[in-house]
Amino acid sequence: MNSVIEIKDLRKSYGTNIVLKGINLSVYKGEIFALLGVNGAGKTTVLECIEGLRTYDSGSIKVNGKVGIQLQSSALQAYIKPMEAVKLFANWHKTVADKEMLNSLGIPEFSKKRYSDLSTGQKRRLHLALALIGNPDIIFLDEPTAGLDVEGRVSLHNQIRELKSQGKTIILASHDMAEVEDLCDRVAVLKEGSIAFIGTIDEFTSMGGKRHIIHIKTDDGQKDYETENITETLFMVLSEYKQKGILISEIQTDRVSLEQNFINIVRGEE
């Protein structure tokens, strides 16, 4: 696969605080790649180094393509209107904004409002539109759906999938594991300045082997059983309950979630 981002032995310190301890990773053309980590793990520093917003101490970063960035905390002047911002960014890029892209994000719907009067969802959509004006090959999205309602999340997710279908590469930073599982091809988890896991969503979901949880409710409460084989485990548990005369009121099964695997990684558990 063609890589559009290559990071080798990336290191960064703030005084005596070592933040990145030799990061190595590749991001491939046309994939949606998630970078995960708890606060202080080094996730933001890695992103800022790739984006060129922060210097690093040693190592190398190669970016093959034009970059567009949607920052989580970006803001515009309070009185600027959306289309004024669009025209300003278009002039910087010496281009004209794609009307179809603006329509797909619903920018014309609130184009006459001042920036300070926009809702969180409208600001998110505007920030994404501004990031896309230069027709970038690689797009960085930092918590793109934070603060959005359900309709806004669905709309933005559809836009992200459309960008992927156009061959764009997307780097996603998110704390929403359902969002990561729904959108991403691969994921990297940072822990204390190092990569603790990198792989596909399926590999992330199935790590540790215990892919399912059986929830059994009785009059005495609920017990949970982790298993690789639902049939075998369920047969064993039901036989045991029958022998003991325990009546079961409800049985549910779930896959082990990405969130649980993420927690296991950052806690250092298998």
Side-chain angles (χ1 to χ4, degrees), residues 88-256:
L88 178 62
F89 275 64
N91 287 336
W92 284 344
H93 287 285
K94 297 180 180 179
T95 187
V96 176
D98 183 346
K99 289 185 179 180
E100 184 177 345
M101 178 271 290
L102 296 176
N103 289 334
S104 68
L105 288 172
I107 305 302
E109 298 171 10
F110 50 87
S111 62
K112 295 182 180 180
K113 290 185 177 181
R114 296 181 300 184
Y115 182 79
S116 59
D117 296 329
L118 299 181
S119 67
T120 299
Q122 290 170 338
K123 289 179 180 178
R124 292 286 183 191
R125 284 188 277 166
L126 176 58
H127 295 163
L128 179 55
L130 298 179
L132 296 177
I133 284 177
N135 192 26
D137 307 296
I138 306 165
I139 303 159
F140 290 85
L141 303 178
D142 193 353
E143 301 290 343
T145 59
L148 296 188
D149 57 21
V150 174
E151 184 179 0
R153 285 168 54 86
V154 171
S155 175
L156 197 52
H157 283 184
N158 289 337
Q159 182 64 35
I160 292 172
R161 293 189 187 94
E162 176 61 25
L163 292 170
K164 174 181 168 65
S165 72
Q166 296 171 12
K168 308 289 187 183
T169 303
I170 298 167
I171 317 297
L172 177 70
S174 176
H175 287 99
D176 186 335
M177 293 299 159
E179 178 171 78
V180 170
E181 184 172 16
D182 188 37
L183 292 175
C184 297
D185 301 298
R186 289 194 305 138
V187 59
V189 180
L190 268 66
K191 178 185 177 184
E192 298 176 355
S194 300
I195 292 182
F197 172 87
I198 186 167
T200 66
I201 289 295
D202 285 342
E203 290 169 341
F204 192 21
T205 303
S206 62
M207 64 179 299
K210 296 178 179 179
R211 301 191 62 182
H212 304 277
I213 302 177
I214 301 173
H215 310 281
I216 298 182
K217 288 185 179 181
T218 67
D219 292 340
D220 295 328
Q222 177 176 300
K223 286 190 176 181
D224 301 327
Y225 301 85
E226 292 189 23
T227 181
E228 297 178 18
N229 189 318
I230 292 179
T231 302
E232 183 178 308
T233 302
L234 196 55
F235 179 80
M236 178 187 67
V237 171
L238 291 177
S239 298
E240 178 184 348
Y241 278 38
K242 183 178 181 180
Q243 290 177 359
K244 294 180 178 179
I246 300 174
L247 296 178
I248 297 173
S249 59
E250 186 177 335
I251 298 175
Q252 291 183 338
T253 62
D254 293 317
R255 276 176 43 182
V256 174

Side-chain angles (χ1 to χ4, degrees), residues 52-63:
L53 301 176
R54 189 171 298 278
T55 59
Y56 48 94
D57 299 333
S58 62
S60 65
I61 301 175
K62 293 183 180 180
V63 178

Side-chain angles (χ1 to χ4, degrees), residues 69-76 115 123-124 127-128 130:
I69 304 171
Q70 181 204 32
L71 298 175
Q72 181 182 357
S73 58
S74 55
L76 298 171
Y115 182 79
K123 289 179 180 178
R124 292 286 183 191
H127 295 163
L128 179 55
L130 298 179

